[in-house]
Amino acid sequence: SLEQKLRSFIGSDVSVTKSKWPFTSISKSGFIWMVTFPSFHHSSSGIPLADWPLITVDDISLSGTDTALHVVERVKGNWVEGSFSLSIDGIESSPIPFDSSAEDVQAILNEIALVAGNVVVVQSSGLKGITWLCTFPGLGNVGDLVPNSDDLVGDIGIVTVETISQGSDPLEGKFKLSFNGISTHPISLPSSALELTQKISVLPIGDFTISVETALDSNYQHFQVENSFLITFTGFVNDEQPLLSIDASWVSNGATILVERVRSLCCRVALSLNGVDYFSRNNGALIFAYDKKIAAVSIAPQFGSIEGGTGVNLTVIGLSHSTVESDSSTLYCMFGEVEVIGVLADDMTVSCVAPAYGIEATVVVGIKFNGKLSESRASFGFVPEPIIDFISPESLPSIDISTVSIDVHGSNFDSRVPVFCHFQRILPSKDDSMQNRRVANEEPVKAIYLNNSLVQCPVQSWLTLQDFFSLHNQDWAKNATLLEGAILEMSLTTEQDWIHSHTIPYLPSETVISLFPRCAPRSGGTKIRVTGENFAERDSLACRFGSMNAELVRFISSKEIECTTPQFNHFGSGAHVVEVQIANNGADFSSSTGFFEFYDHLIIEDANPLFGEAQTVIGISLDDNAMKTKALEKQPGTPSEPFNFLSSYANPKCVFNHTEIVDAKVTSPTSVSCAAPPC
């Protein structure tokens, strides 16, 4: 309905698909309409534009609780012009226009002598462009199609070729069929139904008919079938007709010939009044045929919640629409001893909804029809639904995401039940006339199972907000007002319809402006005041010196925090400069202009004079040799220079009686002087 209305409204080709909304919590519901414009949009000036303008919506007439309608631009349009070509074994086709129909592509490929008259082409359109499905029936392996996109122009002008099914060489050779030790003459491949009938007529099997079957009713549907025949033995009266045996040793190219029983006959039916003389139908035997044996072969998905509600599809043999429709019996799926209503979706698929089971268990799933339970090779596991406790990190930066995965902590994760991560970025518009801007990734990402209490959702670079803004001017990344309300909505799902949604806020990029003090002993424990922008009051707030996290971080304001230095044992001894970085989420540390120097414990050699009046200048010098020796003792064989007062990170002070602090003047790399304060 929406597709028809859009076509009449915009006067252009459009396709619409509908699906369930996967990005909200389980307590909510909704739908997605995926609208695709496969052709150009012509502007008011007549110029064709590949990217259609964003649809606007008016949801004022919607009723209900918390109703809303949002428009999400998933993929921008691209324009393309020109042509491409395809080659097989070095033979190149003539140019193929970018918007060719299936008939055009088929005609052009038929110009290649190797495939003349045999190619079949089916065309479809989607988000990734135009797709042509090319099939070469009866030709075996025609080799790879090699594309040439040199003459295509546009935003993304490229042609790719994917081999869906590799062809085999043409079927040839001969085979024999045998019955009770008697064999036919060799039968050529391929053969018609008439030729096969003539060959089989020498076998002692009575009356029979042979017809060509276009679809196999067997367990071998996944094979590529060249020919199939249905042989019906109309004159055989035993309960079980023996199978024909086959000798296919003369068949080439690894082809397989199978003989399979489709339906067993039972009995010739006749009427007797005295138990001795029997009367049957005038025009031949009246044969009673048993129904096909019903069997459940497989089930998908194979696991579901113990609370029930999982939609499953059973692959079955022996059922058909005609059989079910002609019988008034109800079709059931049997989960162990629990029965639920089943629906025959097609001749090989029964759909049903798993019941609540209450406990973790694996049960056999079969079909019950006409009061009879089928055979089954299908089993279904009832498992507890996953429970999510928390995720880490709990926030993301607006740019420069270094996090490689989002850890999901909880319980009841199962390695047999894959979890999928769906992401949607939401940036509220500051213009009341616009809808919230939402972008979802193309495909859900499969979570990495680590144990029953932890899975990881891989994070990609596209989860930043950069495509909302300029890639070159990133001042927006520090704008707290602009980014207010920006979130990443992460939904976790399984094939069993379980869903959990978690909101992850985007935070403005944090920045380090200054540090005080800018150096400290390697022993750690020094409190450093860090000033900057966009610090967040979160338990995850982290401060890193080089590769080592601070022992303690205290939030003061969005512009100031306090970091306690760790014990720094890296790089031997002596002075070493590291970068100081901040991460609001404890994982994605920002780039920084703040650098910090660690140094060894200072050894004072002398101070002179040790007494005098106020303002007496006192000279203090370090024992340079002792500090060098100490460094070498700590890290033998590693050259290391001790700290010196000329370091740009040092701001020397003299402290008198732990209370009076005065500035010190650097007089050499290893000495300073300071004036004694009033006593």
Side-chain angles (χ1 to χ4, degrees):
S1 176
L2 179 59
E3 184 175 292
Q4 293 173 352
K5 291 182 183 295
L6 284 173
R7 284 184 177 180
S8 62
F9 174 66
I10 64 176
S12 181
D13 190 20
V14 62
S15 65
V16 180
T17 59
K18 181 182 178 182
S19 59
K20 291 177 65 177
W21 175 256
F23 298 113
T24 56
S25 66
I26 198 169
S27 62
K28 299 180 181 179
S29 62
F31 300 96
I32 296 174
W33 290 270
M34 179 69 70
V35 182
T36 305
F37 300 98
S39 59
F40 290 144
H41 162 60
H42 288 79
S43 66
S44 57
S45 61
I47 300 175
L49 304 175
D51 190 30
W52 282 72
L54 194 65
I55 294 175
T56 58
V57 297
D58 179 0
D59 56 5
I60 193 171
S61 299
L62 286 178
S63 60
T65 303
D66 194 21
T67 57
L69 186 62
H70 302 285
V71 177
V72 180
E73 185 177 42
R74 294 190 64 183
V75 177
K76 283 187 174 295
N78 299 287
W79 71 275
V80 64
E81 292 179 349
S83 61
F84 63 97
S85 63
L86 297 170
S87 300
I88 300 177
D89 286 342
I91 304 175
E92 187 172 7
S93 72
S94 57
I96 304 173
F98 77 96
D99 56 351
S100 294
S101 65
E103 292 76 15
D104 293 337
V105 175
Q106 180 172 311
I108 293 173
L109 283 180
N110 277 327
E111 296 174 359
I112 303 177
L114 182 62
V115 298
N118 291 284
V119 65
V120 177
V121 179
V122 179
Q123 183 189 48
S124 60
S125 298
L127 289 177
K128 298 182 179 179
I130 303 174
T131 300
W132 295 275
L133 177 64
C134 304
T135 307
F136 305 93
L139 290 175
N141 186 4
V142 298
D144 294 330
L145 280 175
V146 180
N148 183 343
S149 307
D150 292 345
D151 294 329
L152 280 179
V153 294
D155 295 338
I156 306 178
I158 189 171
V159 175
T160 59
V161 174
E162 177 186 359
T163 300
I164 297 175
S165 178
Q166 189 74 48
S168 60
D169 292 330
L171 189 65
E172 58 185 19
K174 296 181 179 181
F175 67 97
K176 291 182 179 181
L177 292 173
S178 301
F179 181 77
N180 286 342
I182 300 176
S183 299
T184 66
H185 292 296
I187 303 170
S188 299
L189 285 173
S191 291
S192 66
L194 177 60
E195 292 170 331
L196 191 60
T197 300
Q198 293 171 347
K199 297 291 185 180
I200 293 181
S201 61
V202 302
L203 301 180
I205 56 177
D207 297 332
F208 64 92
T209 61
I210 295 180
S211 60
V212 179
E213 288 286 284
T214 57
L216 290 181
D217 184 12
S218 71
N219 296 331
Y220 305 101
Q221 297 268 347
H222 58 280
F223 283 102
Q224 291 183 319
V225 179
E226 184 77 17
N227 296 99
S228 63
F229 300 94
L230 176 66
I231 305 175
T232 304
F233 301 94
T234 57
F236 207 91
V237 297
N238 289 344
D239 185 18
E240 287 293 331
Q241 165 72 26
L243 280 176
L244 293 171
S245 58
I246 192 165
D247 181 357
S249 57
W250 302 285
V251 176
S252 65
N253 304 320
T256 302
I257 301 180
L258 302 170
V259 176
E260 184 189 31
R261 189 186 308 279
V262 175
R263 175 180 292 190
S264 298
L265 301 179
C266 169
C267 314
R268 175 180 292 168
V269 181
L271 174 65
S272 175
L273 298 179
N274 57 12
V276 176
D277 301 300
Y278 291 87
F279 302 88
S280 189
R281 191 168 55 186
N282 290 333
N283 59 350
L286 180 64
I287 305 298
F288 175 80
Y290 282 114
D291 288 335
K292 299 177 183 179
K293 183 179 291 185
I294 301 174
V297 178
S298 62
I299 188 172
Q302 296 180 319
F303 297 92
S305 170
I306 60 177
E307 305 298 329
T310 301
V312 300
N313 289 321
L314 267 171
T315 301
V316 299
I317 57 175
L319 271 181
S320 66
H321 277 289
S322 58
T323 303
V324 175
E325 291 169 359
S326 64
D327 196 304
S328 59
S329 299
T330 303
L331 181 64
Y332 293 99
C333 296
M334 299 296 299
F335 289 79
E337 298 181 355
V338 181
E339 63 181 33
V340 295
I341 299 294
V343 176
L344 187 65
D346 56 52
D347 285 349
M348 294 193 66
T349 307
V350 175
S351 300
C352 48
V353 178
Y357 210 75
I359 60 172
E360 187 171 358
T362 299
V363 299
V364 175
V365 182
I367 297 297
K368 183 178 180 182
F369 182 65
N370 202 13
K372 299 177 181 177
L373 185 63
S374 71
E375 296 181 359
S376 178
R377 298 196 297 271
S379 61
F380 184 81
F382 288 95
V383 296
E385 288 188 351
I387 298 174
I388 307 301
D389 295 331
F390 65 95
I391 67 168
S392 177
E394 295 183 338
S395 63
L396 288 174
S398 54
I399 59 173
D400 298 332
I401 295 178
S402 59
T403 296
V404 296
S405 65
I406 297 176
D407 294 343
V408 182
H409 300 264
S411 57
N412 296 337
F413 295 124
D414 194 317
S415 60
R416 302 168 299 174
V417 183
V419 173
F420 296 92
C421 312
H422 308 253
F423 297 103
Q424 184 181 46
R425 294 170 294 155
I426 303 176
L427 179 68
S429 171
K430 301 308 173 185
D431 183 348
D432 293 338
S433 65
M434 295 178 61
Q435 294 291 329
N436 289 355
R437 302 179 65 181
R438 299 165 177 249
V439 176
N441 64 313
E442 285 296 323
E443 298 291 340
V445 182
K446 185 177 180 181
I448 301 170
Y449 173 85
L450 296 180
N451 53 56
N452 62 359
S453 61
L454 176 61
V455 297
Q456 292 180 328
C457 291
V459 170
Q460 306 294 331
S461 59
W462 47 254
L463 284 183
T464 70
L465 297 177
Q466 286 178 330
D467 54 349
F468 284 118
F469 303 98
S470 168
L471 297 177
H472 306 291
N473 180 6
Q474 295 186 349
D475 289 342
W476 59 267
K478 303 175 184 178
N479 190 325
T481 302
L482 180 65
L483 297 176
E484 183 180 0
I487 61 172
L488 174 69
E489 191 167 88
M490 183 178 75
S491 297
L492 304 172
T493 65
T494 63
E495 294 176 341
Q496 295 75 35
D497 301 327
W498 170 82
I499 185 169
H500 172 88
S501 185
H502 199 99
T503 297
I504 304 173
Y506 283 105
L507 300 181
S509 178
E510 58 276 84
T511 304
V512 175
I513 296 178
S514 67
L515 307 172
F516 182 82
R518 298 179 63 205
C519 59
R522 284 174 172 264
S523 56
T526 302
K527 295 180 179 180
I528 309 299
R529 189 174 76 248
V530 182
T531 62
E533 295 179 342
N534 298 322
F535 300 143
E537 188 175 8
R538 291 179 168 270
D539 292 339
S540 57
L541 180 64
C543 178
R544 186 168 69 182
F545 292 82
S547 60
M548 301 184 66
N549 283 0
E551 291 185 355
L552 184 66
V553 180
R554 184 170 69 91
F555 177 84
I556 300 173
S557 72
S558 63
K559 296 181 181 295
E560 184 178 350
I561 60 175
E562 183 182 83
C563 303
T564 302
T565 60
Q567 186 175 2
F568 192 82
N569 295 322
H570 294 356
F571 307 102
S573 299
H576 193 81
V577 176
V578 298
E579 185 179 14
V580 177
Q581 297 173 294
I582 307 300
N584 286 323
N585 65 358
D588 296 289
F589 287 90
S590 63
S591 58
S592 173
T593 58
F595 291 88
F596 187 86
E597 186 174 48
F598 284 98
Y599 56 85
D600 279 320
H601 180 74
L602 301 183
I603 301 175
I604 298 177
E605 180 182 32
D606 190 22
N608 185 45
L610 293 178
F611 54 88
E613 298 177 351
Q615 301 304 315
T616 298
V617 177
I618 304 171
I620 301 175
S621 59
L622 301 178
D623 189 341
D624 189 37
N625 290 327
M627 293 177 65
K628 286 183 178 180
T629 301
K630 187 177 183 67
L632 290 174
E633 289 174 353
K634 286 186 176 180
Q635 198 74 10
T638 302
S640 180
E641 291 297 328
F643 172 82
N644 74 75
F645 290 121
L646 294 178
S647 169
S648 60
Y649 300 94
N651 183 21
K653 306 283 185 180
C654 292
V655 182
F656 289 79
N657 201 32
H658 299 287
T659 57
E660 298 293 332
I661 301 175
V662 297
D663 291 330
K665 180 181 178 181
V666 178
T667 56
S668 77
T670 59
S671 61
V672 296
S673 64
C674 52
C679 181

